[in-house]
Amino acid sequence: MAEWEPQERVLLTLPDKNTDWAYMLDEVWACYSSIIRCLSSYGVPVTLFVRNTDDAVSLFDGSLPDGVTTVVMSYNDTWIRDYGPLSIEHVRGGEPRRRLLADFGFNGWGLKFASCDDNLVNARYFGCNTDGTFNPEYLNCRGYELEGGSVETDGRGTLLTTSSCLCSPNRNGGLSRGQAERTLSRLLGIDHFLWLDHGYLVGDDTDGHIDTLARICPGDVIIYVGCQNPDDEHYAELAAMKRELETFKTRDGHKYNLVELPLPSAIFDPEDGHRLPATYANYLVTDRVVLVPSYGQQHEDDLAAGIIQSVYSDRAVKSIDCRALIRQHGSLHCATMQINK
């Protein structure tokens, strides 16, 4: 299902002292609090995975915002976009519509990081969901490794992705495009594939997740990250990516309407000096509000939010300061996962 379709809730996993966030917990908690409070203020239900309920109480100074529930869970990391469930709508002939949540395998972005607990979050969540919070069917796809940030869909059979990630040798043994297409056609009902061979961000740990580079939007729009500075190390690859996007066509044979986002000015990690993979493409779409990452760069931040508002003119757009999230090489979309109705 497309991210912009009606949603039941948004999932997040709270950083704590047992995660890589331990050295900057106050900063990242402030970011998570901003995300969740913004969603709550627009009536978007939130489920927050925590190791203990005391942390959630502390995060919100003693009282959970309206519509926020907590689930005690074990996890390795907090990027739930990549190990959370994918929402699928199954419609066939005269049969009743079925809503499925697909649980794919997760191996720490190609065996880079520990993932033993992350890989079990969905099964444990379904197992403990006895209060009627939601009632979709559980679809076990754990035999295939797939991260939520690596795929974009319009909910009508089209999938946008990158060959560098889905054909990675450390995911599923390095499948060919054809092998990946056959598997995703069977599991997700995809029949139209758009593959990018170009585009990357310095500091990205994911082998080129599509949600850092380009996103499918309503009305046959693709919003993508561009670079106008020839001296920037991303310039050539993002230009090549744009040329690829210009060749893509919808299932009906029409060209996509391309909308360019700016590339944030370079942000460097204060600890090691390495450039961080900041991107405005890592936004979250909900029924009522689109949350867009900002990075303390007023011109670029405002420009990106305005561009996204032009694409999603039917809902509010709010910027969330994600300078804390980018320190661990992710951003707003990576930290969230929607469950569609």
Side-chain angles (χ1 to χ4, degrees), residues 1 12-13 45 47 81 93 99 112 115 120 135 143 145-146 187 191-192 203 209 224 230 247-248 261 288 294 309 315:
M1 298 178 72
L12 295 97
T13 303
T47 293
R81 173 62 50 180
R99 188 164 60 104
K112 297 182 182 71
S115 59
L120 296 175
N135 59 357
E145 288 151 1
L146 183 73
L187 296 176
D191 59 12
H192 183 57
H209 271 189
Y224 69 97
T247 69
F248 288 170
L261 285 171
R288 303 170 190 174
S294 64
Q309 179 71 84
R315 59 201 81 187

Side-chain angles (χ1 to χ4, degrees), residues 14 29 50-62 70 72:
L14 186 65
W29 269 28
V50 296
R51 281 202 177 88
N52 63 80
T53 54
D54 289 343
D55 279 352
V57 172
S58 298
L59 178 68
F60 298 111
D61 300 321
T70 61
V72 175

Side-chain angles (χ1 to χ4, degrees), residues 24-267:
M24 53 173 294
L25 204 54
D26 288 346
E27 298 156 84
V28 75
W29 269 28
C31 181
Y32 269 68
S33 177
S34 295
I35 294 170
I36 295 169
R37 289 184 188 278
C38 186
L39 292 172
S40 173
S41 71
Y42 280 89
V44 180
V46 171
T47 293
L48 179 63
F49 294 145
V50 296
R51 281 202 177 88
N52 63 80
T53 54
D54 289 343
D55 279 352
V57 172
S58 298
L59 178 68
F60 298 111
D61 300 321
S63 179
L64 295 181
D66 291 342
V68 178
T69 58
T70 61
V71 174
V72 175
M73 185 68 65
S74 296
Y75 45 87
N76 303 101
D77 212 332
T78 52
W79 304 117
I80 195 168
R81 173 62 50 180
D82 293 334
Y83 57 79
L86 295 184
S87 298
I88 303 173
E89 181 181 42
H90 187 276
V91 180
R92 177 179 295 171
E95 298 178 5
R97 171 184 181 266
R98 294 167 58 198
R99 188 164 60 104
L100 309 171
L101 291 185
D103 180 13
F104 286 89
F106 175 68
N107 72 346
W109 303 281
L111 305 174
K112 297 182 182 71
F113 302 97
S115 59
C116 53
D117 284 324
D118 291 344
N119 196 37
L120 296 175
V121 163
N122 295 327
R124 288 169 173 165
Y125 183 32
F126 279 89
C128 73
N129 181 57
T130 58
D131 61 358
T133 304
F134 63 92
N135 59 357
E137 297 180 51
Y138 174 81
L139 182 62
N140 186 344
C141 302
R142 293 161 61 81
Y144 183 79
E145 288 151 1
L146 183 73
E147 296 133 31
S150 70
V151 289
E152 276 282 302
T153 180
D154 63 358
R156 296 180 289 132
T158 295
L159 184 134
L160 173 65
T161 190
T162 64
S163 56
S164 59
C165 184
L166 262 61
C167 300
S168 161
N170 287 334
R171 293 175 179 84
N172 306 301
L175 300 181
S176 67
R177 283 189 184 185
Q179 290 171 316
E181 288 183 2
R182 286 191 289 274
T183 300
L184 293 176
S185 294
R186 175 172 55 86
L187 296 176
L188 299 179
I190 301 298
D191 59 12
H192 183 57
F193 290 84
L194 305 172
W195 291 91
L196 281 175
D197 292 322
H198 292 280
Y200 81 102
L201 295 179
V202 175
D204 171 37
D205 293 325
T206 68
D207 301 309
H209 271 189
I210 193 64
D211 70 351
T212 67
L213 299 168
R215 307 284 302 276
I216 297 181
C217 308
D220 293 334
V221 171
I222 293 179
I223 197 167
Y224 69 97
V225 177
C227 178
Q228 300 301 319
N229 179 6
D231 295 326
D232 191 291
E233 56 196 311
H234 297 100
Y235 180 79
E237 270 293 303
L238 291 180
M241 182 183 79
K242 179 182 179 180
R243 290 192 294 271
E244 283 187 296
L245 291 170
E246 290 171 338
T247 69
F248 288 170
K249 293 188 178 178
T250 68
R251 294 172 72 205
D252 298 328
H254 303 297
K255 287 190 173 182
Y256 282 92
N257 300 307
L258 301 182
V259 177
E260 182 174 320
L261 285 171
L263 181 70
S265 298
I267 301 174

